[in-house]
């Protein structure tokens, strides 16, 4: 999707900057509808932060790098 393509470079930057703090995994919900259903993903892009195996935070939309950092800083 367009917003997914917009956020991809921002996620790559975040993964590089916070490589020792987090791991980013991308999932195509068209190819993995079971995962989309399990986590109630109804819009994309949806970002779900897991901490110790549990969902800690979720946000939807194409965020810029600074917004991503601000959103996730309290969890890493």
């Amino acid at each position: 999707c367009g917003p997914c393509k917009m956020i991809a470079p921002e996620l790559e930057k975040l993964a590089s900057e916070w490589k020792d703090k987090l791991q980013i995994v991308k999932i195509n919900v068209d190819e993995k509808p079971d995962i989309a259903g399990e986590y109630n993903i109804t819009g994309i892009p949806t970002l779900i932060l897991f901490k110790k195996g549990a969902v800690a935070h979720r946000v939807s939309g194409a965020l810029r790098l600074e917004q991503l950092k601000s959103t996730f800083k309290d969890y890493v």
Side-chain angles (χ1 to χ4, degrees):
C1 73
C4 297
K5 290 178 182 174
M6 288 173 48
I7 198 172
E10 304 296 293
L11 290 172
E12 289 175 19
K13 289 176 192 172
L14 185 65
S16 177
E17 287 184 33
W18 288 6
K19 63 184 171 201
D20 58 336
K21 296 180 182 181
L22 63 83
Q23 178 183 14
I24 295 178
V25 177
K26 299 177 193 177
I27 297 172
N28 183 325
V29 296
D30 292 329
E31 295 174 1
K32 302 287 185 180
D34 53 326
I35 293 174
E38 181 179 349
Y39 292 102
N40 197 28
I41 297 171
T42 57
I44 52 175
T46 294
L47 306 174
I48 303 174
L49 179 78
F50 292 88
K51 189 159 188 163
K52 297 184 180 179
V55 174
H57 189 75
R58 62 186 295 140
V59 63
S60 295
L63 304 175
R64 296 192 180 272
L65 182 60
E66 292 308 315
Q67 292 170 306
L68 290 167
K69 287 180 180 180
S70 177
T71 299
F72 295 130
K73 69 178 165 92
D74 293 334
Y75 300 98
V76 295

Coordinates of all heavy atoms in Angstrom, one line a residue:
C1 N 0.8 -1.2 0.0 CA 0.0 0.0 0.0 C 0.9 1.2 0.0 O 2.1 1.2 0.4 CB -0.9 0.0 1.2 SG -0.2 0.3 2.8
G2 N 0.3 2.4 -0.4 CA 1.1 3.6 -0.4 C 1.7 4.0 0.9 O 2.9 4.3 1.0
P3 N 0.8 4.1 2.0 CA 1.4 4.4 3.3 C 2.4 3.4 3.8 O 3.4 3.8 4.4 CB 0.1 4.4 4.2 CG -1.0 4.7 3.3 CD -0.6 4.0 2.0
C4 N 2.3 2.2 3.4 CA 3.3 1.2 3.8 C 4.7 1.5 3.2 O 5.7 1.4 3.8 CB 2.9 -0.2 3.4 SG 1.4 -0.8 4.3
K5 N 4.6 1.9 1.9 CA 5.8 2.2 1.2 C 6.4 3.5 1.7 O 7.6 3.7 1.7 CB 5.5 2.4 -0.3 CG 5.2 1.0 -1.0 CD 4.9 1.2 -2.4 CE 4.6 -0.2 -3.0 NZ 4.1 -0.1 -4.4
M6 N 5.6 4.4 2.2 CA 6.1 5.7 2.8 C 6.8 5.4 4.1 O 7.8 6.1 4.4 CB 4.9 6.6 3.0 CG 4.3 7.2 1.7 SD 2.8 8.2 2.0 CE 3.3 9.3 3.4
I7 N 6.3 4.5 4.9 CA 6.8 4.3 6.2 C 8.1 3.4 6.2 O 8.9 3.4 7.1 CB 5.8 3.8 7.2 CG1 6.3 4.0 8.7 CG2 5.4 2.3 6.9 CD1 5.2 3.7 9.7
A8 N 8.2 2.6 5.1 CA 9.3 1.6 5.1 C 10.7 2.3 5.3 O 11.5 1.7 6.1 CB 9.3 0.9 3.8
P9 N 11.0 3.4 4.6 CA 12.4 4.0 4.8 C 12.5 4.5 6.3 O 13.6 4.4 6.9 CB 12.4 5.1 3.9 CG 11.4 4.9 2.9 CD 10.3 4.0 3.5
E10 N 11.4 5.0 6.9 CA 11.5 5.4 8.3 C 11.8 4.3 9.2 O 12.6 4.4 10.1 CB 10.2 6.1 8.6 CG 9.8 7.3 7.7 CD 10.8 8.4 7.8 OE1 10.9 9.1 8.8 OE2 11.5 8.7 6.7
L11 N 11.1 3.1 9.0 CA 11.4 2.0 9.8 C 12.8 1.4 9.6 O 13.4 1.0 10.6 CB 10.4 0.9 9.4 CG 8.9 1.1 9.9 CD1 8.0 0.1 9.3 CD2 8.8 1.2 11.4
E12 N 13.3 1.5 8.4 CA 14.7 1.1 8.2 C 15.7 2.0 9.0 O 16.6 1.5 9.6 CB 15.0 1.1 6.7 CG 14.3 0.0 6.0 CD 14.5 0.1 4.4 OE1 15.5 0.7 4.0 OE2 13.7 -0.6 3.7
K13 N 15.4 3.3 9.0 CA 16.3 4.2 9.7 C 16.2 3.9 11.2 O 17.2 3.9 11.9 CB 15.8 5.7 9.5 CG 16.1 6.2 8.1 CD 15.6 7.6 8.0 CE 15.6 8.0 6.5 NZ 14.9 9.3 6.4
L14 N 14.9 3.7 11.7 CA 14.8 3.4 13.1 C 15.5 2.1 13.5 O 16.1 2.0 14.5 CB 13.3 3.3 13.5 CG 12.9 3.1 14.9 CD1 13.4 4.3 15.8 CD2 11.5 2.8 15.1
A15 N 15.3 1.1 12.7 CA 16.0 -0.2 12.9 C 17.5 -0.1 13.0 O 18.2 -0.7 13.8 CB 15.6 -1.2 11.8
S16 N 18.0 0.8 12.1 CA 19.5 1.0 12.1 C 19.9 1.8 13.4 O 20.9 1.4 14.0 CB 19.9 1.8 10.9 OG 21.2 2.1 10.9
E17 N 19.2 2.8 13.7 CA 19.5 3.6 14.9 C 19.3 2.9 16.2 O 20.1 3.1 17.2 CB 18.7 4.9 14.9 CG 19.1 5.9 13.9 CD 18.3 7.2 14.0 OE1 18.0 7.6 15.1 OE2 18.1 7.8 12.9
W18 N 18.3 2.1 16.3 CA 18.0 1.4 17.5 C 18.3 -0.1 17.4 O 17.6 -0.9 18.1 CB 16.5 1.6 17.9 CG 16.2 3.0 18.4 CD1 17.0 4.1 18.4 CD2 14.9 3.4 18.9 NE1 16.4 5.2 18.9 CE2 15.1 4.8 19.2 CE3 13.7 2.8 19.1 CZ2 14.0 5.6 19.7 CZ3 12.7 3.6 19.6 CH2 12.9 4.9 19.9
K19 N 19.3 -0.5 16.6 CA 19.5 -1.9 16.4 C 19.8 -2.7 17.6 O 19.5 -3.9 17.7 CB 20.6 -2.1 15.4 CG 22.0 -1.6 15.8 CD 23.0 -1.7 14.8 CE 24.3 -0.9 15.2 NZ 25.1 -0.6 14.1
D20 N 20.3 -2.1 18.7 CA 20.5 -2.8 19.9 C 19.3 -2.8 20.9 O 19.4 -3.4 21.9 CB 21.8 -2.2 20.6 CG 21.6 -0.8 21.0 OD1 20.8 -0.1 20.3 OD2 22.3 -0.3 21.9
K21 N 18.3 -2.1 20.5 CA 17.1 -2.0 21.3 C 15.9 -2.7 20.8 O 15.0 -3.0 21.6 CB 16.7 -0.5 21.5 CG 17.8 0.3 22.2 CD 17.4 1.7 22.3 CE 18.4 2.6 23.0 NZ 18.0 4.0 23.2
L22 N 15.8 -2.8 19.5 CA 14.6 -3.4 18.9 C 14.8 -4.1 17.6 O 15.9 -3.9 17.0 CB 13.4 -2.4 18.8 CG 13.6 -1.2 17.8 CD1 13.3 -1.6 16.4 CD2 12.7 -0.1 18.2
Q23 N 13.9 -5.0 17.2 CA 14.0 -5.7 15.9 C 12.7 -5.4 15.2 O 11.6 -5.5 15.8 CB 14.1 -7.2 16.2 CG 14.1 -8.0 14.9 CD 14.2 -9.5 15.1 OE1 14.0 -9.9 16.2 NE2 14.5 -10.2 14.1
I24 N 12.7 -5.0 14.0 CA 11.5 -4.7 13.2 C 11.3 -5.9 12.2 O 12.2 -6.3 11.5 CB 11.7 -3.4 12.4 CG1 11.8 -2.2 13.4 CG2 10.5 -3.2 11.4 CD1 12.0 -0.9 12.9
V25 N 10.0 -6.3 12.2 CA 9.6 -7.4 11.4 C 8.4 -6.9 10.6 O 7.5 -6.4 11.1 CB 9.2 -8.7 12.2 CG1 8.7 -9.8 11.3 CG2 10.4 -9.1 13.0
K26 N 8.5 -7.1 9.3 CA 7.4 -6.7 8.4 C 6.6 -7.9 7.9 O 7.2 -8.9 7.6 CB 7.9 -6.0 7.1 CG 8.7 -4.7 7.4 CD 9.2 -4.1 6.2 CE 10.3 -3.0 6.5 NZ 10.8 -2.5 5.2
I27 N 5.3 -7.8 8.0 CA 4.5 -8.9 7.6 C 3.4 -8.4 6.5 O 2.8 -7.4 6.8 CB 3.7 -9.5 8.8 CG1 4.8 -10.1 9.7 CG2 2.7 -10.6 8.3 CD1 4.2 -10.6 11.0
N28 N 3.3 -9.1 5.4 CA 2.3 -8.8 4.4 C 1.0 -9.5 4.8 O 0.9 -10.7 4.8 CB 2.8 -9.3 3.1 CG 1.8 -9.0 1.9 OD1 0.6 -8.9 2.1 ND2 2.4 -8.7 0.8
V29 N 0.0 -8.7 5.2 CA -1.2 -9.2 5.7 C -2.0 -9.9 4.7 O -2.9 -10.8 5.0 CB -2.1 -8.2 6.5 CG1 -1.4 -7.6 7.7 CG2 -2.4 -7.0 5.5
D30 N -1.8 -9.6 3.4 CA -2.4 -10.4 2.3 C -1.9 -11.8 2.2 O -2.6 -12.7 1.9 CB -2.2 -9.7 1.0 CG -3.0 -8.3 0.9 OD1 -4.0 -8.2 1.6 OD2 -2.5 -7.4 0.2
E31 N -0.6 -12.0 2.5 CA 0.0 -13.3 2.5 C -0.2 -14.0 3.8 O -0.1 -15.3 3.9 CB 1.5 -13.2 2.2 CG 1.7 -12.7 0.8 CD 3.2 -12.4 0.5 OE1 4.1 -12.6 1.4 OE2 3.5 -11.9 -0.6
K32 N -0.4 -13.3 4.9 CA -0.5 -13.9 6.3 C -1.8 -13.4 6.9 O -1.8 -12.8 8.0 CB 0.7 -13.5 7.1 CG 2.0 -14.0 6.6 CD 2.2 -15.4 6.7 CE 3.6 -15.8 6.3 NZ 3.8 -17.2 6.3
P33 N -3.0 -13.7 6.4 CA -4.2 -13.2 7.0 C -4.5 -13.8 8.4 O -5.2 -13.1 9.2 CB -5.3 -13.7 6.0 CG -4.7 -14.8 5.2 CD -3.2 -14.5 5.2
D34 N -3.9 -14.9 8.7 CA -4.1 -15.5 10.0 C -3.5 -14.6 11.1 O -4.0 -14.4 12.2 CB -3.6 -16.9 10.1 CG -2.1 -17.0 9.6 OD1 -1.7 -16.3 8.7 OD2 -1.4 -17.9 10.1
I35 N -2.3 -14.0 10.8 CA -1.6 -13.1 11.7 C -2.4 -11.8 11.8 O -2.6 -11.3 12.9 CB -0.2 -12.9 11.3 CG1 0.6 -14.2 11.4 CG2 0.4 -11.8 12.1 CD1 2.0 -14.1 10.8
A36 N -2.9 -11.3 10.7 CA -3.8 -10.1 10.8 C -5.0 -10.3 11.6 O -5.4 -9.5 12.4 CB -4.2 -9.7 9.3
G37 N -5.6 -11.5 11.5 CA -6.8 -11.8 12.3 C -6.4 -12.0 13.8 O -7.2 -11.5 14.7
E38 N -5.3 -12.6 14.1 CA -4.9 -12.9 15.4 C -4.7 -11.6 16.2 O -5.0 -11.5 17.4 CB -3.6 -13.7 15.5 CG -3.1 -14.0 16.8 CD -1.8 -14.9 16.8 OE1 -1.5 -15.4 15.7 OE2 -1.2 -15.0 17.9
Y39 N -4.1 -10.6 15.5 CA -3.8 -9.3 16.2 C -4.8 -8.2 15.8 O -4.6 -7.0 16.0 CB -2.4 -8.9 15.8 CG -1.4 -9.8 16.5 CD1 -0.8 -10.8 15.8 CD2 -1.2 -9.7 17.9 CE1 0.1 -11.7 16.4 CE2 -0.3 -10.6 18.5 CZ 0.3 -11.6 17.7 OH 1.2 -12.5 18.4
N40 N -6.0 -8.6 15.2 CA -7.0 -7.7 14.9 C -6.6 -6.5 14.1 O -6.9 -5.3 14.4 CB -7.8 -7.2 16.2 CG -9.1 -6.6 15.9 OD1 -9.7 -6.9 14.9 ND2 -9.5 -5.7 16.7
I41 N -5.8 -6.7 13.1 CA -5.3 -5.7 12.2 C -6.3 -5.4 11.1 O -6.6 -6.3 10.3 CB -3.9 -6.1 11.5 CG1 -2.9 -6.3 12.6 CG2 -3.5 -5.0 10.5 CD1 -1.6 -6.9 12.1
T42 N -6.9 -4.2 11.2 CA -8.0 -3.9 10.2 C -7.6 -2.8 9.2 O -8.3 -2.6 8.3 CB -9.3 -3.4 11.0 OG1 -8.9 -2.3 11.8 CG2 -9.8 -4.6 11.8
G43 N -6.5 -2.2 9.5 CA -5.9 -1.1 8.6 C -4.4 -1.3 8.6 O -3.8 -1.7 9.5
I44 N -3.9 -0.8 7.4 CA -2.4 -0.9 7.3 C -1.9 0.5 6.9 O -2.6 1.2 6.2 CB -2.0 -2.0 6.3 CG1 -2.7 -1.9 5.0 CG2 -2.2 -3.4 6.9 CD1 -2.2 -2.9 3.9
P45 N -0.7 0.8 7.3 CA 0.2 0.0 8.2 C -0.2 0.1 9.6 O -0.7 1.1 10.1 CB 1.6 0.7 8.0 CG 1.2 2.1 7.6 CD -0.1 2.1 6.8
T46 N -0.1 -1.0 10.3 CA -0.3 -1.1 11.7 C 1.0 -1.6 12.3 O 1.6 -2.6 11.9 CB -1.4 -2.1 12.1 OG1 -2.6 -1.6 11.6 CG2 -1.5 -2.3 13.6
L47 N 1.5 -0.9 13.3 CA 2.7 -1.2 14.0 C 2.4 -1.7 15.4 O 1.6 -1.1 16.1 CB 3.6 0.0 14.1 CG 4.0 0.7 12.8 CD1 4.8 2.0 13.1 CD2 4.7 -0.1 11.9
I48 N 2.9 -2.9 15.7 CA 2.6 -3.5 17.0 C 4.0 -3.7 17.7 O 4.8 -4.4 17.1 CB 1.9 -4.8 16.9 CG1 0.5 -4.6 16.1 CG2 1.6 -5.4 18.3 CD1 -0.2 -5.9 15.8
L49 N 4.1 -3.2 18.9 CA 5.3 -3.3 19.7 C 5.1 -4.4 20.7 O 4.1 -4.4 21.4 CB 5.7 -2.0 20.4 CG 6.9 -2.1 21.2 CD1 8.2 -2.0 20.4 CD2 6.9 -1.0 22.3
F50 N 6.0 -5.4 20.6 CA 5.9 -6.5 21.6 C 7.0 -6.3 22.6 O 8.2 -6.0 22.2 CB 6.1 -7.9 20.9 CG 5.0 -8.2 20.0 CD1 5.0 -7.8 18.6 CD2 3.9 -9.0 20.4 CE1 3.9 -8.2 17.8 CE2 2.9 -9.4 19.6 CZ 2.9 -8.9 18.3
K51 N 6.7 -6.6 23.8 CA 7.8 -6.6 24.9 C 7.6 -7.8 25.7 O 6.5 -8.1 26.2 CB 7.6 -5.3 25.7 CG 8.8 -5.1 26.7 CD 8.9 -3.7 27.1 CE 10.2 -3.6 27.9 NZ 10.6 -2.3 28.1
K52 N 8.6 -8.6 25.8 CA 8.6 -9.9 26.5 C 7.4 -10.8 26.0 O 6.8 -11.5 26.7 CB 8.5 -9.7 28.0 CG 9.7 -9.0 28.6 CD 9.6 -8.8 30.1 CE 10.8 -8.1 30.5 NZ 10.8 -7.9 32.0
G53 N 7.2 -10.7 24.7 CA 6.2 -11.6 24.0 C 4.8 -11.1 24.1 O 3.9 -11.8 23.5
A54 N 4.5 -10.0 24.7 CA 3.2 -9.5 24.8 C 3.1 -8.2 24.1 O 4.0 -7.4 24.0 CB 2.8 -9.3 26.3
V55 N 1.9 -7.9 23.6 CA 1.7 -6.6 22.9 C 1.8 -5.5 23.9 O 1.1 -5.5 25.0 CB 0.3 -6.5 22.2 CG1 0.0 -5.2 21.7 CG2 0.2 -7.6 21.1
A56 N 2.7 -4.5 23.7 CA 2.9 -3.4 24.6 C 2.2 -2.2 24.1 O 1.8 -1.3 24.9 CB 4.4 -3.2 24.9
H57 N 2.2 -2.0 22.8 CA 1.7 -0.8 22.2 C 1.4 -1.0 20.7 O 2.0 -1.9 20.1 CB 2.7 0.4 22.3 CG 2.1 1.7 21.9 ND1 1.3 2.4 22.8 CD2 2.3 2.4 20.8 CE1 1.0 3.6 22.2 NE2 1.6 3.6 21.0
R58 N 0.4 -0.4 20.2 CA 0.1 -0.5 18.8 C -0.3 0.9 18.3 O -0.9 1.7 19.0 CB -1.0 -1.5 18.5 CG -2.3 -1.3 19.1 CD -3.3 -2.5 18.9 NE -3.6 -2.7 17.5 CZ -3.7 -3.8 16.9 NH1 -3.6 -4.9 17.6 NH2 -4.0 -3.9 15.7
V59 N 0.0 1.1 17.0 CA -0.4 2.4 16.3 C -0.6 2.1 14.9 O 0.1 1.2 14.3 CB 0.7 3.5 16.6 CG1 2.1 3.1 16.0 CG2 0.3 4.8 16.1
S60 N -1.4 2.9 14.2 CA -1.7 2.7 12.8 C -1.3 4.0 12.1 O -1.4 5.1 12.6 CB -3.1 2.4 12.5 OG -3.5 1.1 13.1
G61 N -0.9 3.9 10.8 CA -0.6 5.0 10.0 C 0.8 5.1 9.7 O 1.7 4.5 10.3
A62 N 1.1 5.9 8.7 CA 2.5 6.2 8.2 C 3.1 7.3 9.0 O 2.8 8.5 8.8 CB 2.5 6.5 6.7
L63 N 3.9 6.9 10.0 CA 4.5 7.9 10.8 C 5.9 8.3 10.3 O 6.6 7.4 9.8 CB 4.6 7.4 12.3 CG 3.3 6.9 12.9 CD1 3.6 6.3 14.3 CD2 2.4 8.0 13.0
R64 N 6.4 9.5 10.6 CA 7.7 9.9 10.3 C 8.7 9.4 11.4 O 8.2 9.0 12.5 CB 7.8 11.4 10.2 CG 7.0 11.9 9.0 CD 7.3 13.4 8.8 NE 6.5 13.9 7.7 CZ 6.9 13.8 6.4 NH1 8.1 13.3 6.1 NH2 6.2 14.3 5.5
L65 N 9.9 9.4 11.2 CA 10.9 8.9 12.1 C 10.8 9.5 13.5 O 10.8 8.7 14.5 CB 12.4 9.1 11.5 CG 13.5 8.6 12.4 CD1 13.4 7.1 12.6 CD2 14.8 8.9 11.7
E66 N 10.7 10.8 13.6 CA 10.6 11.4 14.9 C 9.3 11.0 15.6 O 9.3 10.8 16.9 CB 10.7 12.9 14.8 CG 12.0 13.4 14.4 CD 13.2 12.9 15.2 OE1 13.0 12.9 16.5 OE2 14.2 12.5 14.6
Q67 N 8.2 10.8 14.9 CA 7.0 10.3 15.5 C 7.2 8.9 16.0 O 6.7 8.5 17.1 CB 5.8 10.3 14.5 CG 5.4 11.8 14.1 CD 4.4 11.8 13.0 OE1 4.7 11.2 11.9 NE2 3.3 12.4 13.2
L68 N 7.8 8.0 15.2 CA 8.1 6.6 15.6 C 8.9 6.6 16.9 O 8.6 5.9 17.9 CB 8.8 5.9 14.5 CG 8.0 5.6 13.3 CD1 9.0 5.1 12.2 CD2 7.0 4.5 13.6
K69 N 10.0 7.4 17.0 CA 10.8 7.5 18.1 C 10.0 7.9 19.4 O 10.1 7.4 20.4 CB 12.0 8.4 17.9 CG 13.0 7.9 17.0 CD 14.2 8.9 16.8 CE 15.2 8.5 15.9 NZ 16.3 9.5 15.8
S70 N 9.2 8.9 19.2 CA 8.4 9.5 20.3 C 7.4 8.4 20.8 O 7.2 8.3 22.0 CB 7.7 10.7 19.8 OG 6.9 11.2 20.8
T71 N 6.8 7.7 19.8 CA 5.8 6.7 20.2 C 6.4 5.5 20.9 O 5.8 5.0 21.9 CB 5.1 6.2 18.9 OG1 4.5 7.3 18.2 CG2 4.1 5.1 19.2
F72 N 7.6 5.1 20.5 CA 8.2 3.9 21.1 C 9.2 4.1 22.2 O 9.7 3.1 22.8 CB 8.7 3.0 20.0 CG 7.6 2.5 19.0 CD1 7.8 2.6 17.7 CD2 6.5 1.9 19.6 CE1 6.8 2.2 16.8 CE2 5.5 1.4 18.7 CZ 5.6 1.6 17.3
K73 N 9.7 5.3 22.4 CA 10.8 5.5 23.3 C 10.6 5.0 24.7 O 11.5 4.6 25.4 CB 11.2 7.0 23.3 CG 10.1 7.9 24.0 CD 10.6 9.3 24.1 CE 9.5 10.2 24.4 NZ 9.0 10.7 25.5
D74 N 9.3 5.0 25.2 CA 9.1 4.5 26.5 C 9.1 3.0 26.7 O 9.0 2.5 27.8 CB 7.7 5.1 27.0 CG 7.8 6.6 27.2 OD1 8.9 7.2 27.4 OD2 6.7 7.2 27.1
Y75 N 9.1 2.3 25.5 CA 9.0 0.9 25.5 C 10.4 0.2 25.3 O 10.5 -1.1 25.4 CB 8.0 0.4 24.5 CG 6.7 1.0 24.8 CD1 6.2 2.1 24.1 CD2 5.8 0.4 25.7 CE1 4.9 2.6 24.4 CE2 4.5 0.9 26.0 CZ 4.1 2.0 25.3 OH 2.9 2.5 25.6
V76 N 11.4 0.9 24.8 CA 12.7 0.2 24.5 C 13.7 0.6 25.5 O 13.6 1.5 26.3 CB 13.1 0.6 23.1 CG1 12.2 0.0 22.1 CG2 13.3 2.1 22.9

